[in-house]
Amino acid sequence: MTDPVLQVSDLRVTHPGPVTALDGLSFELAPGQVLGLVGESGSGKSAAALALLGLHRRTPTTVDGTILLHRPDRPVLDLNAASDAELRTVRGPELAMVFQEPLTSLDPYRRIGTQIATAYRLHTGASRAEAKQRTAEALDRVGIDPERARDYPHQFSGGMRQRVLLAMALVLRPRVLVADEPTTALDVTVQAQILRLLDGLREETGMALVLVSHDVGVVGGLADEVVVLREGRTVERGATARLLGDPEHPYTRALLDAVPRLDAPLPERAAPADGDALVSVERLRVDFGSVQALRGVDLTVRRGETLGIVGESGSGKSTLGRTLVRLQDATSGTVRFEGEDLASWRGRELRRRRHELQMVFQDPTSSLNPRRLIGDSVAEPLRVRGGHDEAAVRAEAVGLLERVGLGAAHADRYPHQLSGGQRQRAAIARALILRPKLIVCDEPVSALDVTTQAQVVALLRELREEFDLTLVFIAHDLAVVRSVSDRVAVMRQGEVVETLAAADLTRPRQDYTRALLEAVPRLEAVAGR
Amino acid sequence: MTRFLLRRLFGAAAVLVALAALTYLLFYAMPGDPALLACGKGCSADQLAQVRHALGTDRPLVQQFWTFLTTLVLGHGYSTGPSTIWCSAPCLGYSYQSNEPVTQMLLERLPVDVSLALGSAALWLLIGVGTGLFAALRPGRRRDRITNAVVLTLGSTPVFIMALLLLMGACVWLQVLPFPNYVPLTEDPAQWAQNLLLPWLAIALVTAAGYTRLTRAGVLETLNQDHIRTLRAYGYPERRVVLRHAVRGALPTVVTVAAMDIGMVLAGAVFTETMFGLPGLGKLAVEAASTVDLPVVCGITLLAGALIVVANTVADLLHAALDPRVRI
Amino acid sequence: GSGAGSSAGGSSDAFSAATCQGGTLRVLDSAKNSKGFDPAVLYTSGGGAIPRLLFRTLTTRQSVPGTDGTKVVPDLATDTGKPSENATVWTYHLKPNLRFADGTPITSADIKYGVERSFSPQLAGGPPYLRDWLVGGADYQGPYGSGNTDLASVATPDASTVVFHLRKSEGDFPYLAAETQFAPVPKAKDTGKEYNADPVSSGPYTIAGFTKGRELDLVRNPHWSRSSDQQRLACPDRIEVSLGLSPAVINQRLSSSVGQDANAITTDTSLDAPTLAKVSADPALKKRVVTGKFPQIYYLAFDLKKAPFDNQLVREALSYAVDRTALVNAEGGTQLAVPSTTFTPESLTAAHQDYDYFPAGATGNPEKAKQLLAQAGHPNGITVPLAYDTDDTSTGAPAATALAQAFAKAGITLQLQPLGDADFSGTVNTPATQPALSLTSWGADWPSGGPFLTPIFDGRQIVTGGGNFNLAQYNDPAVNAQIDKINQITDYATAQKQWAALDAQLGKLALTVPLYEEATSVLYGSHVKNAYLDQWRGWYDIASVSVK
Amino acid sequence: MTLTETHAPAESAASPAGRERPAGGGPAGVLARLWALRGGRTALVTVAVLVLVALTAPWLAGLEGQDPNTFHDTLLNSATGGSPDGAFGGVSAQHWLGVEPTTGRDLFARLVYGARVSLGVAVGATIGQLLLGLLVGLTAGLGSRWADALLSRVTDLALALPTFFFSIALLAVVPQSFPRPLLLGLILSGLGWAPIARIVRAETRVLREREYVQAAVLTGAGNWRIARREILPGLVAPVATYTAIVLPQNIVAEAGLSFLGLGVRPPTSSWGQMLSTATTWFQVDPAYVLVPALTLLVCVLAFAGLGEALRVAFDPKASVPVRQRRARREAARPVPSTKDQAR
Ligand SMILES: Nc1ncnc2c1ncn2[C@@H]1O[C@H](COP(=O)(O)OP(=O)(O)OP(=O)(O)O)[C@@H](O)[C@H]1O
Ligand SMILES: Nc1ncnc2c1ncn2[C@@H]1O[C@H](COP(=O)(O)OP(=O)(O)OP(=O)(O)O)[C@@H](O)[C@H]1O
Ligand SMILES: [Mg+2]
Ligand SMILES: [Mg+2]
């Protein structure tokens, strides 16, 4: 191994509280090398990334340990002990960072060209013209038309903004780039492009990369070495291939097992392939002003089946789901439920029959009233319907909570006293309490960690049998969808591109579906490396 | 943009007509007869009827209102006795009490309120934004808390108490300033500023508080945003981060609110004008209301409403100009 | 007595009418003059303060301190008018060589036109007497309309003679002829409603600049000369009037009297109670205060048509119960108000006769009041409404509450009924809506018992449509006849004696409760000379004031 | 994997979502947090004292042995404008704060009785504003597109009204026999509900998109139940905070109108009425001015401080997810601070 650029030893980050976010992280990084930091939400990944650039300064958070930066022809600098002024000269030209939220990480009030050029001039003192020239080059390199330097951030998509941030880093040619979940907020296809770009830049400039992600697949594809974090502590550290192929620690193994795989065997299930149509959608269009969210969707949901819906962000998945449960009115076209046109339900009739159609939402935080006890939230639908005495309602709610893996104790808690997974379970219980015929699950597991995600998916699978449910399962993760669905509809720009049996998902007919599939990072490929 | 302005214009026209109707109705219901006031002491019943006819107050309300509207759009001829003079659009009619075209009366008063609004706005922005920044630089520290307390106190002071204290302090106890007596800018700029200093201060001191809070909150909020972290990660000096970028984030709100506030002061600052004896729209409004001078009252209400609507539109335009994300 | 002449001595010793000319006088006024200066619309007493600088009238008040200030003297006319036998025809001759500010000669036609236009509905607002007195005045609509544009009862046999034909005897006509309605208006320059901004001057000054509600600049009228005008000294070369100032500012500026304010006076702002309190403590300031009185009585008006005031005993009870000390204090103390038990106040010297039929003492006699009420069949007291004008700074809330306080002690509960200015005149002066009891005031348009008593007690003056001042609705044919008889007297002193006797006679009936008369205390700038309050109006005569 | 194995490593309560702590725990919790803030405690105590003074006014005046309407001519010097004899406006054992010039009425008694009017009107007006604002805002926020459009225009109109000027006119219009404090309250609420309606509407629109509200819709609950059970509790924080902001504004508004002589009728006292007669006496009898002015100031300040503290106690940083641009624009456009105070 060549001389390291960055030597981190025993890094600790303590938030006031005190909350130990990071508890002793050590690693070395050589030029051109990629270090992957993985771990579930809250494991301290961001804490570590921010600490590397000294970004915890001016906050109540304390950082201990040493971060040695090796520079050619200059003394080694301990970033944690350096003065603010020293640190400032290092930030940018030596160490740069790309953030998780590309949408908010650029100054909304300044043109992107100006933002890149200013960063450049700040450290090089270059002339305006030169800075402009360099900016254009950098933008070109990351695949953005230099003409667009005059645009504002909001005129770019998330992926493009992440490229702009990369261009900002690139223009200063840093020796180390810290990327904190650079692709989490992006669609899979865009994610693949950004990862490719990062890898290319590393090769070209020889910069070292610290890649932070919760997605083992993402890290696995790029990293030379991987550190697995859990509650701030380093669980395991090792060369990527070894660690993924043959994890030593049980937690690492559990983590890997929970990752949904496209090539995993599908569970045996008597597919109700020939069930009659519970819901049939014809030429459904939904417009929001000038935005055409759905542009003529035809779809059938058969009784008892689970229909998966996948597609990129903005493709209209949620809109379709909301229209199915009549939270959204169709602009044109029809949605038939058991042969009846949903639009014909009005007023009292609508309210009376609502319970047959339920929905589970993506964000477990906002899907439960923060001011109501969990037990009351679950019981509320029964109270709305009336006709049950209080004891029965309570018993039913607690029973269902137990069924979804929570207990009577949880009934008397507020949502913020539960974890994300637990909240999602409560939301499922609420959806079930009215014994609906159809439940639309809109990305029910997207906000959850992989391990939790696996549990909730498993729960849904069980409940489906037990309550004789028909499910519409919306997700952007192909592997997850494949694991629960009988059939999968692929959406793009408000249209259903194709509908496939889950087993056939890996053998799509449409190019778009294929592109989606190819963009998914594959763990198995790395593990075998 | 054009569409936005057109839509605004249309909306504003509707709001203003509704406003005028409301005002008309309200003052029609008011006790006291403008004719009786104009007619004076010892006015006989006959004479009163004649005066009513001359003023046009003997016609039904709807007809009067309709005349008011058509006059506004088309202009109107008024008999002065020996001759008829033409009041061209936008004509707000003729004052019952002072025998003057209302438009002219308003135009005479407006400079006072413009002077008041612009001067005090400059002051309150200076004070408000200054103290807001001062407080935001060290949130939670003593100077932040002291600024907060001072600003809360000033901001809670009713303007007439503020005016009273300023008058007594500056003119009676310290005798550093003469009692204010409005002098138009065109007449003597130095006198103009000197005489308006106290009114400006009175308005600015009670208004600045809001701006301190807006600025402080805006700067702090921006400092908490992700893009500030990006700046820090690229080695921007802290001064530059705060003064250029964080302030920039607070700017749209501050400017937007300022535009609306300026509109409000333009539309008449009753207390300040009363306390400092400034011949502005607010004072005229109170006087006109007490003498049931319907054309003047309606004219001021309309002008005030129009100014507020214009200020709101300007605020929206400024907001759009200052925040590239907002499109109109 | 006002002592006006003596208190002006502070600065008048160095004053000489011969050398007083020059300088700029500043006038600080709270009035806005938003109606401008139209001689037809102005409602003045004796020609007013500023209007008298612009308009000469047939007669005018005599510009001297003291009681002689209540005398009427010729102005444009050669004498105060020649009456016919029964005082129904009044003839005036104009002095020679009179000119307007634009150089055109003043003729009797201009006088006639000035009177005529005051009848136009467009120019309403002046005093009501002309309409009542002149033959055909009741139906005349002024010169603008299409119908009868000539008022025949004003005749101009030649260019310097004007004759007025009255429908009844009016010995006081010379006093009326001092009002601005008798100022000449050149028909060619008449702009009707617009005339108020720039009237053609016949007085010593003419308008150089006028912003309504803000300021008025007067400069000398080149066609006026002292030789033709004995009543106006017109000392300053220039007079700058600031309008619409707040009273506090005026008094503050006059008391500090710095810079230009040393040359300042006010024509309408009396010292208020707090400033008086301050001034009393400062001898230097005290020297620059003059006091005077405009004959005006503040009184309680009963509606005799409404119970319980149809009963004289009840009216007497209220007269006994009143606490004049509290009222005077509420007004701001003895320098701003003087208790009065007579309807015609002491300051209207010639027409005043002292009486106190229902002595209430300084602070009221509630016991006697209770006793009278019981006698009247109200042993448990009465509850009556009291209307007052909230916008009137003197008769407003302070006086009303002070009354309520005192009456409460006598078992009389006042239900205060505050009315805004516009509302008050509309409600109280219309018999149909008039409340049983109102707090109001009455001032004489000229210093004579006639205009003081007639509108209040003459039964034929009851106007049902609005603008009624006979609030008692008192109509006694005997009294009416008596009024007519006095009106025929053209000798001032004789007539006033009779008015005084009439007042004393009416006082026995307790038709009103006289409360107090108002006094004015005014400051003037330290360079101002010959500043005195004339006895006619109780205010400065700007035409006499000098700054040199 | 069995269902009982739910406590997987990452499901700790410290997950990022757990950081956002809504103002749960009910009113007691808010009160406790309020109490914990130094400013909040001071403000709360001051407000409580003032309210107590207003409630016990007759008793307090009785303690002093005075009533607010009795004249004391003997304490005045009639020759000097009716100013009170003695130091500090005639302060004595009988008259704790001295007497009023020109009438000799007891200032302390008038002050404590004035508190009833000043606070009563302000509280009444605030309640009125709240009720109207909530009604309009909720109807616009939850109602159909048409109801929303109509009510929003009405709100715009109400916001464009030169409020202060209109209240002057209204005070003149309504017959004097109508009880003044009630009228003041009605006018202030009738003209001041619009900002609340706007806030409520904007918040309702945001809350309406919240997934728990959508879930409630799916249960078949009616609009009314949703408003009551799901939306209103979410409005408590912004509305309570705004209430504490408008209350002092209403105190100032009442004082302002009374100051201009349009408020309560004599002999009733309110702080604004006291100030209006007092201003000219500043040089001669400063106590006469300072007593009502300082009381008013302290009162307004206490309420303002309470509002500030409530804002903190309710944690303003609750995330506001906005979907539609319109909602965002409205949320971004603050209510002009001018509605705070007529200048
Ligand atoms: N400002 C803070 N104050 C207190 N605790 C904090 C703060 N920020 C983060 N934490 C806690 O520190 C721990 C580590 O947080 P960190 O943001 O580093 O996690 P992460 O691994 O980046 O998670 P994610 O995948 O959700 O981004 C968590 O338990 C978190 O709750
Ligand atoms: N209420 C709304 N008003 C306006 N536009 C909307 C609204 N809801 C959705 N859209 C637009 O409709 C399109 C489809 O949105 P939808 O939420 O259905 O997509 P999605 O596939 O669920 O995306 P994601 O994966 O990001 O949740 C998008 O362009 C979105 O901006
Ligand atoms: Mg993170
Ligand atoms: Mg979605």
Side-chain angles (χ1 to χ4, degrees), chain A residues 80-411:
Chain A
N80 197 28
S83 70
D84 280 356
E86 278 174 317
L87 196 59
R88 213 155 48 225
T89 58
V90 171
R91 285 174 179 173
E94 303 282 344
L95 271 141
M97 188 156 173
V98 177
F99 298 95
Q100 174 169 359
E101 305 87 3
L103 294 177
T104 54
S105 291
L106 287 163
D107 189 339
Y109 301 114
R110 285 181 166 71
R111 300 175 199 283
I112 55 124
T114 317
Q115 296 191 42
I116 298 173
T118 314
Y120 181 68
R121 291 183 60 206
L122 203 64
H123 288 287
T124 58
S127 71
R128 234 171 252 279
E130 192 197 335
K132 198 172 164 190
Q133 174 65 29
R134 288 301 175 84
T135 303
E137 285 167 19
L139 282 175
D140 195 39
R141 176 62 193 85
V142 298
I144 289 179
D145 183 0
E147 288 294 308
R148 298 200 61 183
R150 293 189 52 76
D151 285 353
Y152 287 96
H154 72 273
Q155 291 163 303
F156 291 82
S157 70
M160 290 170 85
R161 284 188 225 184
Q162 204 58 294
R163 285 164 199 262
V164 171
L165 278 163
L166 277 175
M168 193 187 279
L170 190 65
V171 78
L172 288 165
R173 302 216 155 235
R175 295 172 348 107
V176 180
L177 180 67
V178 182
D180 186 3
E181 314 236 17
T183 58
T184 307
L186 307 175
D187 282 327
V188 266
T189 43
V190 184
Q191 164 171 311
Q193 293 164 12
I194 296 284
L195 290 179
R196 230 174 289 132
L197 183 59
L198 269 177
D199 202 32
L201 291 177
R202 178 190 60 85
E203 249 165 41
E204 251 173 70
T205 64
M207 70 180 180
L209 183 65
V210 178
L211 182 63
V212 176
S213 181
H214 69 277
D215 187 337
V216 189
V218 166
V219 171
L222 232 56
D224 301 304
E225 199 184 13
V226 175
V227 175
V228 179
L229 288 177
R230 182 192 182 189
E231 289 174 358
R233 271 186 286 273
T234 306
V235 171
E236 193 169 355
R237 182 176 135 189
T240 312
R242 201 276 302 154
L243 191 133
L244 298 186
D246 180 21
E248 280 170 8
H249 197 280
Y251 175 74
T252 315
R253 202 169 304 129
L255 197 65
L256 289 173
D257 284 345
V259 176
R261 292 166 196 238
L262 272 172
D263 57 353
L266 283 172
E268 285 296 313
R269 176 163 139 83
D274 302 320
D276 57 334
L278 180 69
V279 181
S280 57
V281 176
E282 282 161 35
R283 291 194 303 284
L284 178 67
R285 296 184 60 98
V286 172
D287 297 344
F288 296 106
S290 57
V291 178
Q292 299 178 319
L294 294 180
R295 325 174 173 217
V297 169
D298 292 292
L299 200 70
T300 326
V301 185
R302 296 178 195 141
R303 199 183 292 278
E305 79 167 345
T306 299
L307 176 70
I309 297 180
V310 287
E312 292 187 359
S313 183
S315 56
K317 308 183 295 290
S318 296
T319 308
L320 177 60
R322 290 164 52 82
T323 317
L324 290 183
V325 297
R326 202 152 183 263
L327 277 176
Q328 173 70 51
D329 288 330
T331 307
S332 69
T334 49
V335 178
R336 275 182 216 289
F337 179 72
E338 295 189 317
E340 277 178 79
D341 188 350
L342 269 190
S344 68
W345 293 4
R346 292 233 165 75
R348 199 172 296 264
E349 157 93 353
L350 174 64
R351 295 224 296 273
R352 200 173 50 77
R353 300 200 55 181
R354 278 256 188 230
H355 69 93
E356 295 174 29
L357 308 164
Q358 290 294 312
M359 189 151 174
V360 174
F361 299 92
Q362 169 170 7
D363 185 354
T365 314
S366 75
S367 64
L368 294 167
N369 190 333
R371 287 166 198 84
R372 192 170 294 156
L373 294 174
I374 296 292
D376 288 332
S377 275
V378 173
E380 177 73 9
L382 275 185
R383 299 201 174 119
V384 170
R385 295 205 73 199
H388 302 265
D389 70 79
E390 194 43 43
V393 169
R394 174 88 192 162
E396 174 79 9
V398 171
L400 264 176
L401 278 175
E402 276 166 0
R403 178 61 198 85
V404 297
L406 301 171
H410 292 102

Side-chain angles (χ1 to χ4, degrees), chain C residues 503-522:
Chain C
D503 180 39
Q505 168 198 333
L506 288 167
K508 291 186 185 128
L509 302 174
L511 298 174
T512 65
V513 183
L515 300 173
Y516 57 92
E517 59 173 317
E518 210 178 28
T520 31
S521 287
V522 207

